[in-house]
Amino acid sequence: MTNVTANDQKSNVPALPPTANISSYLDEHCGGGSGVLFKFAKDQRFRRIDDGEEIPLGTEFTVIYDQIQVGWIRFYGKGMPPERKMGPLFEGFSPPPRDTLGETDPSVWEKGLSGQPVDPWQQQVLLPLQAADGELFIFGTTSITGRRAVGRVIDECTKMLRREPDQYPVVKLALGSFQHRDDRVGRVTVPAFVRVGKTPKTGTAKIDTSIEADLNDEIPWK
């Protein structure tokens, strides 16, 4: 895995106001409303879903980890809203077992680009983030590499919840990579979230971006 390290530049992501309501934003988005949803695209760039605009590497966000959504999503085609079996991980939600969702026979699944049947139900993670100007974003992913990247964020947030329950981490968008087991594929570029600091969940205190402030941080998340 290629290492991605945090730089010494001070973060400019402000502390979250007490009125920040990520939960209602997610509810609106998941119900089909508008929102700044973005993904890691095939060209190895972070891009907005609505217009394809790139979100530059190095962009910093506050991770609203207690509103991370996990579970299953089923797509029904262009123009049709997806069906979700999702909930907030840090509030105790546990996704239902796949075999309880129906449609478990691969012989009737539609075939994907590889020519193989594709499960209509996909595991999805929604990572809620707040930008420096207060705008809310959601990184959404169903891919294995995307879920692994968010999983590393979740692991660190779990540790942070225990030692600093009044703080949110601040991360920047980055790239990682790994060597594929098939030599013909070579190295694969994947999304990464590198921690650059932390911010109080409420209030307006200045963000602490010193790596030394967290003795057991694992940097980077990649």
Side-chain angles (χ1 to χ4, degrees):
M1 178 72 71
T2 299
N3 289 333
V4 185
T5 58
N7 59 31
D8 295 328
Q9 183 178 1
K10 292 295 184 180
S11 170
N12 60 356
V13 179
L16 290 174
T19 56
N21 192 336
I22 308 300
S23 182
S24 62
Y25 176 77
L26 284 172
D27 289 343
E28 178 183 356
H29 172 77
C30 291
S34 61
V36 187
L37 183 68
F38 71 103
K39 67 179 181 178
F40 190 66
K42 293 181 179 179
D43 63 356
Q44 303 173 352
R45 293 292 183 267
F46 292 93
R47 295 191 179 278
R48 295 168 56 127
I49 296 296
D50 55 358
D51 57 11
E53 181 181 348
E54 181 179 356
I55 302 176
L57 295 177
T59 301
E60 295 183 4
F61 294 101
T62 297
V63 180
I64 318 301
Y65 66 75
D66 44 20
Q67 294 299 330
I68 292 173
Q69 303 275 317
V70 297
W72 299 93
I73 185 170
R74 190 197 191 291
F75 295 99
Y76 286 98
K78 188 175 182 179
M80 300 181 64
E83 180 180 357
R84 287 183 170 90
K85 306 291 184 182
M86 303 184 71
L89 177 65
F90 280 82
E91 292 183 16
F93 177 80
S94 180
R98 170 64 184 91
D99 59 10
T100 66
L101 302 178
E103 299 178 276
T104 57
D105 183 0
S107 67
V108 299
W109 295 349
E110 294 185 7
K111 294 183 178 180
L113 297 177
S114 66
Q116 298 300 314
V118 176
D119 191 335
W121 285 99
Q122 300 289 314
Q123 295 184 49
Q124 186 182 52
V125 181
L126 298 176
L127 181 67
L129 305 162
Q130 185 173 42
D133 61 1
E135 188 173 13
L136 300 176
F137 288 73
I138 300 174
F139 175 71
T141 182
T142 58
S143 72
I144 294 176
T145 55
R147 287 187 280 116
R148 284 176 178 170
V150 176
R152 292 183 175 92
V153 177
I154 292 172
D155 180 63
E156 179 62 25
C157 289
T158 301
K159 299 173 185 176
M160 193 171 187
L161 178 61
R162 292 195 297 265
R163 69 177 184 260
E164 295 177 295
D166 61 341
Q167 300 283 320
Y168 282 134
V170 176
V171 301
K172 70 175 182 179
L173 302 183
L175 299 177
S177 67
F178 70 93
Q179 179 64 41
H180 197 278
R181 60 185 177 182
D182 186 339
D183 292 337
R184 294 172 297 179
V185 177
R187 295 201 69 82
V188 178
T189 301
V190 297
F193 301 91
V194 176
R195 181 171 175 174
V196 295
K198 60 184 178 181
T199 183
K201 290 183 176 180
T202 59
T204 56
K206 185 179 179 180
I207 297 170
D208 182 356
T209 58
S210 64
I211 299 304
E212 294 78 10
D214 296 290
L215 300 180
N216 60 344
D217 286 341
E218 296 177 1
I219 299 172
W221 303 331
K222 55 186 182 295

